[in-house]
Amino acid sequence: MDKHRARSKTSKQDRLRFLKHLLLDVEALEEMLRQNLIERNIQRIGAEQELSLVDAYYKPSKKAPAVLNRVNDPHLTTELALYNLEINLDPLELKRQCFVKMEKQLNTLLTKTDQAAKAIGDKIILSGILPSIDVRSGELDYMTPNPRFFALDEVIRQLRGEAFELNILGVDELILAHTNILFEACNTSFQCHLQVDPDEFVDQYNWAQLISGPVLSACTNSPLLFGRELWSETRISLFQQSIDIRSKGYHLREKEQRVSFGRGWIREITEIYKESISRFTLLLPDKVEEDSMQVLEHGGIPKLAALNLHNGTIWRWNRPCYGVGGGVPHLRIENRYLPSGPSVIDQVANLAFWVGLMKAMPDHYRGSWRHKSFEDTKANFYRAATSGLQSCMVWEGRTIPSRELLLDHLIPLAAEGLQACGLDEAERSRYLSVIEGRVKKGLDGSVWTVKGFRKLKKKMSREEAMVGITSILYERRKTGAPVHTWPLAAPSEAEGCRMPYDWIGNFMKTDLITVQEQDLLDLVEKIMEWKGIRHVPVEDSHGNLKGLITRKMIESVKADSGKGKWLSAREVMRTDLVTIGKDADIKFAILLMVDKQISCLPVVEGNRLIGLITDRDTRELWQKMKNDQA
C-alpha cells in the first residue's frame, strides 16, 4: 500500500504544468468548435457494463483479476474494487438493429465472464448495489492494486481532512463513518453514451437533464445497502456521500459536490468544463506532453488529455465527454445514473428509452431554457431516486404521478424518437414494451428486490435474507426475462444458500436497547419485560460501554430483602465484561462464550458498543452450521 501511495505525490511544477495544459485544452476545444472540426451528422451509442463478482456465499469476491485473465478480452477491465469488473461495449451507429446488436454483444461478453467466474467458484451479479454486500467491502484490502486508485483515495482523504460519513434515510436509516473511498465501489451502473452534434449539444444536454427524473423513476434497482432498505436508487446518495471531499463547518458557505446533478442550464458547450475548472481542485494532475494548440496549428486533432482527466474526476449524472475516434473528434453525453441490472434486456431497454427520448426532444424546448425551472428538474431527479415509480414529477408546470407521465407521454414520445432513427416496429416494441410493462405493473428492480427481501426477512435473519435475495436475483437474471415478468422471491428458494459463518459482524444484533448508568433499576427491569430481552448493556453519556445487566442479576437483587427499589443501573451492573471486536470470527465468539460461561457477548469498537451476541443466537448459529456441513 505504501508503494502505491508514494506515487500519489505531485510536485508543484507538475501541478502548474498540468493547469497550463488544462487551459490550453479549453482553448483548443473552443477553436475546434469555431473551425467546425467536431464530427457532425452522425450519431452513435455506447455503453459500459459494471458488474459485481461474488463467491460461493454470494459475498463480494476478490478474484476480479483472475476472472479478467481467464476471459482475456480487451472489452473487459478492472474497476476500483476487487469484486468489480467493467465491460466496454463497442460503439454503434444509431440506426436499425443497433440495440439488438448491443444486446447480443453484451450477452456474449457476460456469458464469457460468467464461465470464467464459474471456473474459479464465483458468480456475476447485475444490481445497482449488491444486496449481500457488507461493511467489510469498504476495507482497503478490497481495493484493486492499481496505483491510480490508491492515489485517488489518498488525495480525496487529504482534501476532506476527516472521516467520510454515510447518512441515508429511507424505510430504514444508515449512519456510518468510513475512512476511504471504497464504498463508492458498492455502486455499479450501466453507463450509456450518445454522440451529439456540436450545434445540438446545448439543447440536448439541457433536455437530458430535464428527462433525468422521469427516466430514473422507471429504472431504479438499488434499494438495499448493508441490509437496510433505503432509497429506490440508493446509488445516487451513496455515490455522492462516499467521495464527498467537503467537511462540515459553522457557516453557510456553498460548496458543490464532485458528484452532482449540476447548478443550472448550460448556454454553451465549454461552460461545463469551465465551471468544473473554476469550482473543483485537481485530484490527479498527471504528466501531459501534448500541447493541444500546437497540435491544432500543425493540422492535427488533440486528445485534450488534461481536460478529459479532470472531467473524469467530476462525476455529473449527465456528463459531457470529448473523444477522438479514427482521428475524428466528437462530443457525447454520458448518462451515469442508470443502474446495473437486473437483466440484460432491462438494461438495453433503459438505454433505448433514454435514446428515444433524446431524439424526440420537442422543438419548443430549443433555445428556451431560461423559461424552464432547473430547480423543478433537479427536484424531480432526487424524488425519482428516493421513491422510484411511486414518485411524482413536475412536468410542464403540473405535478403528475411518474407512472402517468411515463405511460401517457414519455413512452410514446420515445417511440417517435426511435422511429425517427430508423428502428422498425419490432425493435421499438421489444424494448419499450419492457419499460411499459414495468410501469403498468409497478414492478421494477427496486420494487422486486424490496418485496422479496421483506418476505425473506419474515422467515430468516437479515443476513440470511441479504444472501438469499442475491442468490434468487442471480437465478432470475439467467432466465433472460425482464424483471417485471419475474415471480417474487420466495423463502423456499433461499433455503439452499450456504452462509459464510466467518465474521461476527454478519450475525450480531445491531438494533440494541441500552440504558444509562444513572437509570433506575426498576426502569431496566420494565424495559426487559416490555422488549422480551434478558440482557441490557449500560452506557455512559458519551456512548461508552460501562457494564451489563441481566435478568438473573435483577432477580438476585430483588430477592435480597426487597432491595433494588431505588438502586441505579451503575450499582447493579457487571463491569468485568468479556467483549470481542467487530472483525472476530464467529466460531471463535461461540467458543469464547462457552469457555467463559457467559450468555451475552458485547461486540465493541474501542469503548463503543456496536453489537451483541447472545447464547440463543449462538445456539441457532451452531445448529445452522451443523446443518450446512451436513
Side-chain angles (χ1 to χ4, degrees):
M1 191 183 301
D2 292 337
K3 176 182 69 175
H4 293 309
R5 286 183 172 168
R7 300 184 186 183
S8 69
K9 307 300 181 185
T10 303
S11 71
K12 180 180 179 180
Q13 195 61 35
D14 287 340
R15 184 180 180 84
L16 293 175
R17 189 178 295 111
F18 185 87
L19 283 169
K20 181 64 176 176
H21 281 290
L22 196 54
L23 297 176
L24 287 170
D25 283 356
V26 174
E27 185 180 353
L29 179 56
E30 291 180 323
E31 184 61 29
M32 283 189 285
L33 289 167
R34 278 193 293 268
Q35 295 184 28
N36 291 323
L37 297 177
I38 307 293
E39 188 174 30
R40 62 188 65 226
N41 300 322
I42 186 172
Q43 284 201 290
R44 299 180 182 88
I45 59 170
E48 302 161 41
Q49 171 74 73
E50 295 178 342
L51 51 85
S52 297
L53 191 68
V54 297
D55 60 19
Y57 300 104
Y58 291 92
K59 286 293 183 178
S61 169
K62 295 181 180 179
K63 298 178 182 177
V67 173
L68 192 65
N69 289 335
R70 280 182 171 271
V71 176
N72 192 26
D73 190 304
H75 290 92
L76 268 72
T77 186
T78 56
E79 268 289 335
L80 179 61
L82 286 168
Y83 54 83
N84 291 149
L85 285 171
E86 180 178 280
I87 298 174
N88 294 292
L89 300 174
D90 295 330
L92 297 170
E93 188 176 345
L94 180 53
K95 60 182 183 180
R96 186 175 179 274
Q97 293 294 298
C98 62
F99 295 102
V100 173
K101 291 176 181 177
M102 178 173 284
E103 183 184 354
K104 182 177 180 180
Q105 184 189 30
L106 181 52
N107 271 317
T108 298
L109 290 168
L110 274 174
T111 298
K112 290 175 65 175
T113 310
D114 266 326
Q115 291 171 346
K118 185 177 180 180
I120 57 175
D122 283 359
K123 299 179 179 68
I124 299 300
I125 304 294
L126 300 185
S127 181
I129 297 175
L130 181 65
S132 59
I133 205 162
D134 55 45
V135 294
R136 284 182 299 179
S137 62
E139 297 172 358
L140 281 177
D141 60 331
Y142 278 88
M143 185 177 286
T144 301
N146 182 320
R148 187 173 186 78
F149 295 149
F150 283 91
L152 183 65
D153 173 62
E154 182 174 1
V155 169
I156 290 178
R157 285 189 300 102
Q158 288 174 349
L159 287 170
R160 182 170 174 85
E162 62 187 39
F164 295 86
E165 295 179 353
L166 298 181
N167 192 336
I168 309 173
L169 178 63
V171 174
D172 299 317
E173 184 175 15
L174 179 67
I175 302 176
L176 183 68
H178 57 111
T179 59
N180 60 72
I181 66 169
L182 203 52
F183 279 163
E184 185 272 319
C186 296
N187 302 291
T188 54
S189 60
F190 188 66
Q191 295 164 12
C192 303
H193 295 254
L194 177 65
Q195 184 177 335
V196 179
D197 277 10
D199 296 340
E200 293 282 322
F201 191 89
V202 169
D203 284 324
Q204 284 279 277
Y205 186 84
N206 288 336
W207 173 248
Q209 294 279 75
L210 186 70
I211 64 175
S212 294
V215 171
L216 179 60
S217 72
C219 306
T220 61
N221 190 37
S222 313
L224 304 177
L225 178 60
F226 307 140
R228 275 65 177 178
E229 187 182 327
L230 303 171
W231 291 11
S232 291
E233 193 53 43
T234 305
R235 278 175 50 255
I236 303 302
S237 184
L238 174 60
F239 195 10
Q240 290 187 176
Q241 295 185 34
S242 61
I243 53 176
D244 190 356
I245 65 173
R246 303 170 304 170
S247 56
K248 297 185 293 289
Y250 297 99
H251 49 72
L252 292 176
R253 179 182 171 185
E254 296 181 46
K255 295 182 180 180
E256 189 177 357
Q257 292 173 305
R258 296 185 85 97
V259 180
S260 76
F261 189 77
R263 299 172 63 89
W265 308 119
I266 66 168
R267 294 161 295 181
E268 58 180 47
I269 294 175
T270 56
E271 182 179 348
I272 306 177
Y273 294 109
K274 292 174 181 177
E275 176 82 1
S276 297
I277 294 170
S278 302
R279 290 190 176 274
F280 301 111
T281 187
L282 305 181
L283 293 186
L284 297 173
D286 285 2
K287 186 176 290 187
V288 176
E289 303 293 343
E290 180 185 81
D291 183 316
S292 298
M293 289 303 295
Q294 284 187 6
V295 171
L296 269 180
E297 290 168 5
H298 288 89
I301 297 297
K303 296 178 180 178
L304 305 188
L307 190 64
N308 281 340
L309 180 60
H310 185 53
N311 189 48
T313 63
I314 297 155
W315 296 274
R316 300 182 188 278
W317 294 112
N318 288 299
R319 183 159 68 182
C321 296
Y322 167 90
V324 180
V328 181
H330 65 267
L331 294 171
R332 307 186 311 276
I333 296 172
E334 180 187 18
N335 178 331
R336 299 180 51 82
Y337 57 80
L338 293 176
S340 175
S343 72
V344 168
I345 192 169
D346 278 303
Q347 294 179 138
V348 181
N350 294 344
L351 171 59
F353 179 46
W354 177 64
V355 170
L357 282 177
M358 290 295 293
K359 293 299 295 179
M361 181 182 71
D363 288 338
H364 68 266
Y365 282 95
R366 300 180 190 279
S368 65
W369 298 103
R370 67 185 182 277
H371 302 299
K372 308 297 181 185
S373 171
F374 184 81
E375 291 76 12
D376 283 342
T377 296
K378 188 173 184 177
N380 283 345
F381 180 76
Y382 287 102
R383 278 193 291 268
T386 304
S387 303
L389 286 170
Q390 303 308 313
S391 59
C392 285
M393 300 285 115
V394 177
W395 191 264
E396 300 285 2
R398 296 172 52 229
T399 300
I400 310 173
S402 178
R403 294 171 69 180
E404 179 182 330
L405 175 63
L406 291 161
L407 290 172
D408 295 347
H409 184 57
L410 296 186
I411 294 175
L413 189 63
E416 293 176 13
L418 294 178
Q419 185 175 13
C421 296
L423 273 69
D424 60 26
E425 172 62 27
E427 189 173 5
R428 298 197 304 271
S429 177
R430 174 171 177 77
Y431 300 111
L432 293 185
S433 66
V434 170
I435 305 298
E436 185 177 20
R438 258 189 238 155
V439 177
K440 284 184 174 179
K441 292 186 69 172
L443 187 62
D444 62 3
S446 180
V447 173
W448 181 89
T449 300
V450 165
K451 286 187 174 182
F453 185 65
R454 290 176 179 177
K455 287 176 67 177
L456 266 58
K457 279 202 303 179
K458 291 179 180 179
K459 300 289 185 179
M460 54 190 68
S461 69
R462 173 188 284 165
E463 174 64 21
E464 290 168 333
M466 289 163 60
V467 170
I469 198 67
T470 306
S471 70
I472 300 168
L473 175 66
Y474 170 73
E475 295 297 335
R476 294 286 197 277
R477 192 263 294 177
K478 290 198 302 181
T479 67
V483 67
H484 73 276
T485 67
W486 292 2
L488 294 180
S492 59
E493 295 180 90
E495 290 176 354
C497 289
R498 297 168 57 204
M499 295 295 297
Y501 297 104
D502 57 346
W503 182 53
I504 197 170
N506 281 341
F507 298 97
M508 65 186 183
K509 287 183 171 68
T510 56
D511 183 13
L512 306 178
I513 302 293
T514 65
V515 297
Q516 298 285 299
E517 294 176 281
Q518 66 273 17
D519 284 344
L520 195 65
L521 186 61
D522 281 350
L523 172 64
V524 180
E525 183 180 24
K526 283 298 181 183
I527 288 174
M528 287 185 174
E529 178 185 332
W530 295 335
K531 305 303 292 184
I533 55 180
R534 299 172 297 140
H535 312 85
V536 175
V538 183
E539 297 175 311
D540 64 16
S541 58
H542 300 291
N544 296 308
L545 178 64
K546 306 302 291 186
L548 183 75
I549 297 177
T550 68
R551 186 175 295 169
K552 285 185 177 180
M553 291 164 59
I554 294 178
E555 291 171 354
S556 176
V557 169
K558 293 276 188 177
D560 186 7
S561 303
K563 286 184 180 180
K565 186 174 182 180
W566 300 107
L567 290 178
S568 68
R570 178 188 298 162
E571 295 173 278
V572 177
M573 68 184 184
R574 179 176 178 176
T575 58
D576 57 334
L577 301 180
V578 178
T579 62
I580 198 166
K582 65 182 179 63
D583 297 319
D585 183 271
I586 187 65
K587 293 177 183 176
F588 173 76
I590 293 173
L591 293 174
L592 179 64
M593 293 180 70
V594 172
D595 181 59
K596 299 296 183 179
Q597 296 184 341
I598 54 177
S599 60
C600 178
L601 182 61
V603 184
V604 297
E605 186 170 28
N607 295 323
R608 301 243 173 190
L609 179 71
I610 61 173
L612 212 63
I613 292 283
T614 69
D615 52 354
R616 288 178 181 171
D617 301 325
T618 57
R619 282 196 296 270
E620 291 178 6
L621 281 171
W622 192 254
Q623 186 59 50
K624 288 176 180 177
M625 283 188 276
K626 287 171 63 179
N627 293 340
D628 193 44
Q629 289 174 350

